Amino acid sequence: MAAEPRIYRWDDVGAPVASNVQDAFYEIAKAVLVDGYGSMPAAGWSVVYDEWSTDGIITFTNATQSGVLGAVRGDSSSNPCALFIADAMVDAITAVNARSGYHAVTDLLSLPSAADRTGILYSGKQNYWAVIANENVAVFLFANNSAYITASPTNVIWLYNDVFVCGAARSLRGLGSIGAPSSGNFFMAGGWVGGYSNNGLHGSQGVILADQSGSITSDDRYGFNWPFSDSGGAFGNNNVDSIVELELRPVEIWAGATTSVADAYQQCRLPMLLSSPGLNYQVTDRISTQPLTELVSVSGKNCYLAVLPANERMLVSMALEDWI
């Protein structure tokens, strides 16, 4: 039976403390996903290969082994971590159908210096972090100040925090559910792709392993995280009593062969991540002023509010039904 999602934070007793920028994701992800710490049990993932001390690469898989998440150590403190997903690993540095950012990847160890790859940009953000995860999906948040984890500041820009999500999705293309996925039902969303200002979930940061027909392709593939990629405005910004009933929708990944959303195909849903077109901090901060601290009930679900880059907000459902 699937485990309830848990929240892990930097201020837990026994929580990992990053030794430096380049090793931060490795140390935090391994502790949360695989090893556990203090009184916190591991989320239930496993290590495929750990060659961090030699080649600077580690790979994880979820409990159903529907895909692989990999991290490659950065080549400098200003380029700290590159991320990829794959169907499987042949050995520690050779993947089957690996993708990062917009591209298929053949040389994993070259990722830190590659353009348009998915990465985690720390810039001092390794000391404050939170992860919400179970054995199927993990949601990572990093910040350079505790306020961007547990408060609701209104001046959040891309330099201040990062969000990265990975695991199995609720496929709309025949690859199964989160808790019972087919091989290849694996995604990553967020991080930054091809430029510091293009981070969070609002740009082309959805990465999937197969196209709309279920085929593996070596072509570039652009993923859009709806509704964060929707450029529409938010209703009710100026009215304190504007919310009567807030209808939330799960985040979806759409993907296509061009940068135009008009060419994208609906691929999968991430039901644990809830938002709505135009939803922003001016609305959500009326729901909760203590992100990742107090549970709030919205649309019948217990959720945590999460602060994202560029003054965006997201509600993370803690209902088990949304994680399986």
Side-chain angles (χ1 to χ4, degrees), residues 55-304:
D55 295 310
I57 185 169
I58 188 170
T59 43
F60 304 96
T61 188
N62 54 353
T64 55
Q65 300 183 15
S66 66
V68 169
L69 165 68
V72 185
R73 193 175 193 267
D75 52 8
S76 72
S77 60
S78 60
N79 198 19
C81 183
L83 301 167
F84 67 90
I85 58 174
D87 281 323
M89 299 298 293
V90 177
D91 56 39
I93 61 172
T94 309
V96 178
N97 184 28
R99 299 196 68 89
S100 183
Y102 315 133
H103 311 302
V105 179
T106 55
D107 182 2
L108 296 178
L109 297 183
S110 70
L111 269 180
S113 59
D116 296 338
R117 49 83 166 168
T118 300
I120 294 292
L121 176 71
Y122 285 105
S123 297
K125 291 178 275 193
Q126 71 272 17
N127 293 324
Y128 302 97
W129 55 268
V131 184
I132 301 176
N134 74 349
E135 71 268 37
N136 299 324
V137 180
V139 182
F140 292 86
L141 298 119
F142 304 94
N144 66 358
N145 189 298
S146 62
Y148 303 115
I149 298 289
T150 60
S152 290
T154 59
N155 62 337
V156 184
I157 63 173
W158 58 269
L159 276 173
Y160 296 165
N161 57 357
D162 281 336
V163 57
F164 172 73
V165 192
C166 61
R170 188 166 293 172
S171 175
L172 300 172
R173 297 283 175 178
L175 292 178
S177 65
I178 297 170
S182 300
S183 178
N185 178 358
F186 204 83
F187 75 93
M188 64 179 176
W192 64 271
V193 180
Y196 297 165
S197 61
N198 189 23
N199 76 339
L201 293 173
H202 63 282
S204 303
Q205 287 113 317
V207 183
I208 55 173
L209 293 173
D211 67 14
Q212 66 279 0
S213 68
S215 300
I216 294 172
T217 176
S218 60
D219 296 337
D220 287 353
R221 187 67 42 178
Y222 299 87
F224 305 94
N225 303 309
W226 184 90
F228 293 100
S229 53
D230 188 338
S231 59
F235 291 94
N237 283 355
N238 298 325
N239 304 311
V240 172
D241 58 350
S242 60
I243 302 171
V244 176
E245 181 176 308
L246 182 62
E247 181 178 357
L248 298 174
R249 293 285 305 276
V251 171
E252 297 178 352
I253 296 179
W254 294 58
T258 77
T259 58
S260 171
V261 295
D263 294 328
Y265 294 83
Q266 189 182 32
Q267 298 284 352
C268 57
R269 287 198 176 106
L270 316 180
M272 73 293 302
L273 308 183
L274 301 172
S275 190
S276 184
L279 192 66
N280 69 3
Y281 73 90
Q282 292 168 299
V283 175
T284 56
D285 286 3
R286 298 180 192 135
I287 299 169
S288 172
T289 57
Q290 292 184 289
L292 299 188
T293 301
E294 62 172 349
L295 279 170
V296 294
S297 179
V298 182
S299 295
K301 294 181 181 292
N302 284 331
C303 303
Y304 284 113

Side-chain angles (χ1 to χ4, degrees), residues 7-86:
I7 183 166
Y8 304 80
R9 297 184 4 167
W10 85 97
D11 52 357
D12 293 335
V13 175
V17 177
S19 56
N20 56 66
V21 169
Q22 289 169 287
D23 294 319
F25 186 82
Y26 168 82
E27 293 167 340
I28 294 166
K30 191 168 182 289
V32 169
L33 298 180
V34 180
D35 296 335
Y37 59 85
S39 63
M40 296 295 291
W45 293 52
S46 58
V47 169
V48 183
Y49 292 100
D50 184 354
E51 297 295 336
W52 197 259
S53 63
T54 53
D55 295 310
I57 185 169
I58 188 170
T59 43
F60 304 96
T61 188
N62 54 353
T64 55
Q65 300 183 15
S66 66
V68 169
L69 165 68
V72 185
R73 193 175 193 267
D75 52 8
S76 72
S77 60
S78 60
N79 198 19
C81 183
L83 301 167
F84 67 90
I85 58 174

